[in-house]
Amino acid sequence: MNKKYIILILLLVLTTTAVLAQDYKALWPEGKMPNSKGMKLEHIEERERVTQVSTPGMYSFFTSKEENTGAAVLIFPPGGYQKLTYNIAGIQLAKWFNTFGVNAFVVMHRLPTSPDLKAPTFGPLMDAQRAIKIVRDNAEKWGIDKNKIGVMGCSAGGGLAANLATIKKDYSQINDALDAIAFNPNFQILISGALSMKQNAHKGSYDALLGKNASADLETLFSAELNVSTDTPPAFVTCAANDAVINPLNSLQYYQSLLNSNVKSALHIFPQGGHSIALRNNPGSTELWTNLCEDWMKEMGFLGK
């Protein structure tokens, strides 16, 4: 390989690494992170899967000023609440959103498996609510419309996104200026979501998030289909009928609740794709989901300048 070409590749890698490091924003002020025992944890990662988050935060991916629609989306990586698969189902999705004028943030939230959490179940939700508040608080500076901030997630990340859209109590308050900022998203995009902790629940996600002997009240709180109301933001919901990991009835029953509450939403259940619906190279008609999602965002008015 040409030496000049090798140097160019190295510069690109170094630049990308530097940008990621520079654009990582911590969610909590030092010493004020709620639901913490005060432990100093190390960052644990293997094969682009984080299993222990040392500092909850988010990576920022801003679209160009010329293409900016004012919309923003916070992406919650999948991993069954035991890891965060942040690249393939986080950073790559963020860059895709940038291509049609949407600013994106990949949220690295605490996992309920963290030894530092006092109440493990609420760690991800607290961090997610705080992340939305930070984006909304910085909306004017970042060229974002406060009323066009959505959430997205695949698998367990979809479950967390749906919880954000349906849980009305603010668990992220720490007596600072962000307490007054709204944490509710304006839209939700859910891919193969682990949306229920009661009906057809995914056992791995259930055990990691709620523990093995969860109360009925806790199951209900984290079952998005049981908390939908007329105030729930519109949703784009998709999955594969042959998903052997997360029962597709999770998506169907959630959509039924949205329909019952007259929440404008879309549901797409494809015949193929299993639990591996990705940005590209999906089987058959499943490859259409990205175009359908972008068109839905246009239809709902989130991409108009």
Side-chain angles (χ1 to χ4, degrees), residues 203-217:
K203 188 176 186 307
S205 296
Y206 180 105
D207 289 348
L209 182 65
L210 303 186
K212 305 229 176 188
N213 299 298
S215 68
D217 287 345

Side-chain angles (χ1 to χ4, degrees), residues 281-292:
N281 302 318
N282 297 293
S285 58
T286 312
E287 187 70 3
L288 297 172
W289 85 264
T290 51
N291 290 334
L292 289 167

